[in-house]
Amino acid sequence: MLAKTQAAAVLGVDAHPVEVEVDLASGLPYYSTVGLPDAAVKESKDRIRAAISNTGFIYPLGRITVSLSPADMRKEGSAFDLPIALGLLRANGALNGGGERTRGMMFLGELALDGALKPVRGALNVAVLAKKLGVEGLVLPAENAGEAAVVGGLPVYSVRTLPQVVGFLRGEVSIPPTREGAASPGSSPGATEDFRDIRGQHHAKRALEVAAAGGHNLLMIGPPGGGKSMLARCLPTILPPLTIEEAIETSQVWSVLGKLGPGRSLLAERPFRAPHHTISDAGMVGGGTVPLPGEASLAHNGVLFLDELPEFRKNVLETLRSPMEEGKIVISRAQASLSFPARFMLTAAMNPCPCGHLGDSAKACSCTPKLVERHRARISGPLLDRIDIHIEVPRLPWKELAEEPEGESSVQIRQRVETARAVQRARFAGIPGVHSNAHMGASLIGRFCRTDAEGKRLMQLAVQRLGLSARAYHRVLKLARTIADLAGGESISPAHIAEAIQYRQLDRPARS
């Protein structure tokens, strides 16, 4: 007898439909799985046999063939345990009429030996696919129900054991669809850092506000202990809240890697990722025999913080050039080419020289000019061109460190950032893939970043004296547009352009 159930395979961050066919024929006991299964799928036969036997059902004897279609797509993980087990029970006649109900539903879940269902990765991604396909319902382990239920319009049925699933399909057990959990985007950040705790550094705090308002990349240069890391960790507290679409996009990446955590349905805050400088290129942008997302994708719609930027290996830093422009990472392998979302705000920090005290008012630098040049050369010119803001974060004098009163709180700064972002959302309404000024391409820059004759003269001087590339020129204009949005101006004034130019501190005259 032949039985069919619906499942899904997750490749990268996208789920693809998989039809599970189970054929039970007479003959000597034999079990075969075809359709490019990995080791976890092949081993499922032992888990399924034990789960069926230990829950009071009769495991079918005979020649069993399990086909996972399409056969040319690799199947990974333990999520196929439940649909295969249901196919076996249906082929054996154990569902008693409940088999017809399986046709319109999708199933996923790992089986324990006692028939309990264990959580799997990628449940949110499968739920997005199930809604797109218009299935009647998604049946999955209780631990995954919360994240799948955030996809509105899709009935999600939470189950804990194999007998419960069988009783549900027979109509003997009533299971109400799971409602969306309480976790939702837009909640206030849970970080303990706050801008009011940062003494001095008004120039740096202004630069972070501009970066947050327009989604711009930022590099801070200064001696050790100047506050660069603390400033970076305060950045998420002034970013606007995630929209529901952004939360689902980002949570899909986290779900694939199993990082959402039990009982967590959606990321409520913008992610902040700070990988160590020993990270590999595969760890940064993703990779592996069957590629999985890396830190750049985990920071999608959030902040990727690289502390001690020159200490990262050059090949790792260069892999970020493409996602900084395109907002995605494409990894090609012999079996498939996968795309991961990676639209992040790059925030980096570095010392000005190997000893860290070049230009420091308190300690003398012991580095030779050649050492300083070699230190800064670890960051390529093309990568620097893609960083909108370069600012110095100097050592604080004792008076500012000990006596300066509290400044503005993160909540106050965040209000201005949200106002500027609202202006940008209205400006780019109907333009796909563009949500902030940092995402503008050349055509949109020409449309929205026009300035007067005085502003053009300032830009001409900047290009001539600083040797700005075409990319850096466009980034200065985008920065000026963000500064104008923060000021509530409809047009870009020379003052906005002047402020944007002074944020390009690593564009030396020697490059002109």
Side-chain angles (χ1 to χ4, degrees):
M1 181 178 178
L2 177 65
K4 298 180 181 181
T5 54
Q6 291 189 66
V10 179
L11 295 178
V13 295
D14 297 319
H16 303 270
V18 173
E19 186 177 52
V20 179
E21 298 177 289
V22 178
D23 181 67
L24 178 59
S26 58
L28 292 175
Y30 176 78
Y31 190 107
S32 174
T33 305
V34 297
L36 288 182
D38 73 342
V41 179
K42 291 178 180 178
E43 291 172 353
S44 67
K45 64 179 181 180
D46 298 314
R47 294 191 297 271
I48 292 169
R49 179 186 294 110
I52 290 177
S53 300
N54 291 333
T55 50
F57 299 107
I58 298 176
Y59 186 82
L61 297 177
R63 187 178 182 87
I64 299 171
T65 303
V66 177
S67 175
L68 307 176
S69 177
D72 60 349
M73 181 175 68
R74 187 168 179 82
K75 320 301 187 305
E76 287 190 319
S78 56
F80 296 98
D81 289 9
L82 179 60
I84 293 175
L86 292 176
L88 282 171
L89 292 176
R90 185 182 175 192
N92 201 29
L95 287 183
N96 293 335
E100 293 299 321
R101 197 173 181 185
T102 63
R103 292 183 179 178
M105 292 192 174
M106 186 174 285
F107 304 88
L108 73 154
E110 176 185 339
L111 283 172
L113 300 186
D114 61 354
L117 282 167
K118 294 185 176 181
V120 295
R121 297 180 179 183
L124 177 58
N125 312 61
V126 174
V128 172
L129 170 69
K131 180 182 178 181
K132 196 178 297 184
L133 295 177
V135 301
E136 295 177 7
L138 175 63
V139 179
L140 76 175
E143 289 85 349
N144 294 123
E147 61 179 287
V150 301
V151 181
L154 172 70
V156 174
Y157 299 99
S158 164
V159 291
R160 296 189 178 276
T161 64
L162 180 60
Q164 186 182 12
V165 181
V166 173
F168 172 65
L169 294 175
R170 288 175 176 174
E172 300 168 355
V173 176
S174 176
I175 302 177
T178 302
R179 293 185 177 182
E180 182 178 344
S184 61
S187 62
S188 58
T192 57
E193 293 86 356
D194 194 285
F195 267 83
R196 68 157 58 95
D197 300 322
I198 301 175
R199 305 293 185 176
Q201 305 295 10
H202 302 293
H203 177 63
K205 287 191 278 189
R206 168 63 177 176
L208 262 71
E209 180 180 341
V210 173
H216 301 286
N217 301 319
L218 173 93
L219 172 62
M220 294 176 282
I221 310 106
K228 302 184 295 295
S229 297
M230 186 174 182
L231 283 163
R233 294 187 182 280
C234 285
L235 179 57
T237 67
I238 64 171
L239 290 174
L242 286 166
T243 64
I244 186 65
E245 293 80 10
E246 289 175 330
I248 291 176
E249 282 180 5
T250 310
S251 299
Q252 281 184 271
V253 179
W254 286 58
S255 178
V256 165
L257 296 174
K259 292 184 176 291
L260 274 182
R264 196 176 183 186
S265 58
L266 274 184
L267 289 176
E269 305 164 11
R270 292 189 181 271
F272 180 89
R273 304 296 298 180
H276 193 259
H277 61 78
T278 56
I279 191 172
S280 66
D281 50 357
M284 181 67 78
V285 297
T289 306
V290 178
L292 289 173
E295 290 289 337
S297 294
L298 286 169
H300 181 57
N301 290 320
V303 177
L304 179 65
F305 176 48
L306 304 184
D307 202 2
E308 303 298 340
L309 185 65
E311 300 303 319
F312 285 80
R313 282 178 284 182
K314 192 166 186 177
N315 64 301
V316 174
L317 294 180
E318 295 306 299
T319 59
L320 295 175
R321 284 163 55 176
S322 177
M324 286 170 70
E325 290 286 335
E326 301 175 7
K328 64 179 180 179
I329 296 166
V330 178
I331 298 179
S332 298
R333 294 290 185 269
Q335 296 177 350
S337 179
L338 302 178
S339 177
F340 304 134
R343 190 175 291 283
F344 52 82
M345 280 181 60
L346 177 67
T347 304
M350 62 177 284
N351 294 329
C353 64
C355 77
H357 299 294
L358 181 66
D360 193 346
S361 59
K363 294 185 179 180
C365 176
S366 60
C367 303
T368 64
K370 196 163 189 177
L371 281 175
V372 175
E373 183 180 353
R374 188 181 303 164
H375 176 74
R376 297 196 175 185
R378 293 181 181 180
I379 308 169
S380 68
L383 183 65
L384 277 178
D385 256 358
R386 288 167 168 81
I387 301 178
D388 309 66
I389 299 175
H390 321 144
I391 58 167
E392 291 184 2
V393 182
R395 178 190 296 271
L396 281 177
W398 178 86
K399 186 175 181 180
E400 287 191 18
L401 187 63
E403 297 181 3
E404 182 166 322
E406 291 184 350
E408 288 185 299
S409 69
S410 292
V411 173
Q412 292 172 299
I413 300 174
R414 190 182 192 188
Q415 289 173 350
R416 295 197 296 269
V417 169
E418 290 181 358
T419 300
R421 285 287 186 111
V423 172
Q424 294 166 49
R425 284 195 298 271
R427 176 184 298 138
F428 303 126
I431 302 176
V434 181
H435 307 290
S436 63
N437 290 333
H439 304 159
M440 285 192 289
S443 61
L444 294 179
I445 291 172
R447 180 178 170 186
F448 296 117
C449 299
R450 296 177 181 175
T451 185
D452 57 17
E454 180 63 19
K456 290 179 181 178
R457 188 185 70 82
L458 280 175
M459 289 302 302
Q460 180 183 359
L461 288 173
V463 171
Q464 292 173 347
R465 295 185 181 181
L466 300 180
L468 297 182
S469 67
R471 181 183 290 113
Y473 169 78
H474 282 156
R475 290 186 179 273
V476 170
L477 287 175
K478 290 191 283 188
L479 268 178
R481 179 67 268 173
T482 299
I483 295 168
D485 290 342
L486 280 169
E490 292 186 6
S491 60
I492 299 175
S493 72
H496 302 146
I497 291 178
E499 182 179 352
I501 291 172
Q502 58 93 25
Y503 288 134
R504 304 286 303 185
Q505 294 190 13
L506 288 185
D507 292 314
R508 308 183 188 94
R511 292 175 59 190
S512 60

